[in-house]
Amino acid sequence: MRLVSTLPLLAIAALAGCAPTGAARTANPNEQASARTCFRTMNVRNFRAEDWQTLYVRTSAQDVFQIQSAGVCKDLDSAIAIELRPLDGFSNLCTGDFATLNVGSPGHSTCRVQIGKRLSAEEIAALPSRVRP
């Protein structure tokens, strides 16, 4: 008889082990969605480079993204044209993604870059005018 009465307790204990933890429930879905923002490469309308490692691009939605090269990207600060190519072959780039950046004409200078954050309106205004796209 004792064995029969302990089975429901064991079942409850096993199910309790599968319950989500408090850490997983505290994550705000809105924060997660805004943490990873994306743009389409065909929607890049303007760009400016701060130096050979930092690039800012403006999209048709007026968003500005900061892009960092993995190393020195030759001629980035004097580029008159760029091409961003996602590594997965699609046309979307999201914060945290890696991509290939062609500076000037294809084959002129190629760099590996990572899409940084989307800048807020205050961060865009704080950029020096020479690097604001």
Side-chain angles (χ1 to χ4, degrees), residues 7-131:
L7 285 177
L9 292 176
L10 290 174
I12 291 172
L15 288 174
C18 297
T21 63
R25 283 185 273 148
T26 58
N28 184 347
N30 292 334
E31 288 177 13
Q32 291 174 349
S34 66
R36 188 160 164 83
T37 54
C38 304
F39 65 93
R40 296 186 72 181
T41 56
M42 63 188 257
N43 291 339
V44 172
R45 296 294 178 243
N46 198 3
F47 71 93
R48 293 271 175 97
E50 185 170 359
D51 50 32
W52 284 10
Q53 291 183 307
T54 307
L55 176 71
Y56 298 97
V57 296
R58 182 178 297 273
T59 67
S60 58
Q62 298 303 314
D63 291 327
V64 175
F65 288 85
Q66 180 182 37
I67 299 173
Q68 292 291 131
S69 70
V72 172
C73 192
K74 187 179 176 196
D75 300 327
L76 182 60
D77 59 343
S78 61
I80 58 172
I82 62 166
E83 177 188 22
L84 280 168
R85 286 190 170 191
L87 295 180
D88 62 8
F90 295 107
S91 62
N92 281 348
L93 284 171
C94 301
T95 54
D97 287 351
F98 286 93
T100 301
L101 174 70
N102 292 320
V103 179
S105 60
H108 184 265
S109 180
T110 303
C111 311
R112 183 171 179 187
V113 296
Q114 184 174 20
I115 310 305
K117 65 180 182 173
R118 181 179 71 179
L119 277 61
S120 66
E122 295 80 22
E123 290 171 319
I124 296 168
L127 288 174
S129 60
R130 65 179 174 75
V131 297

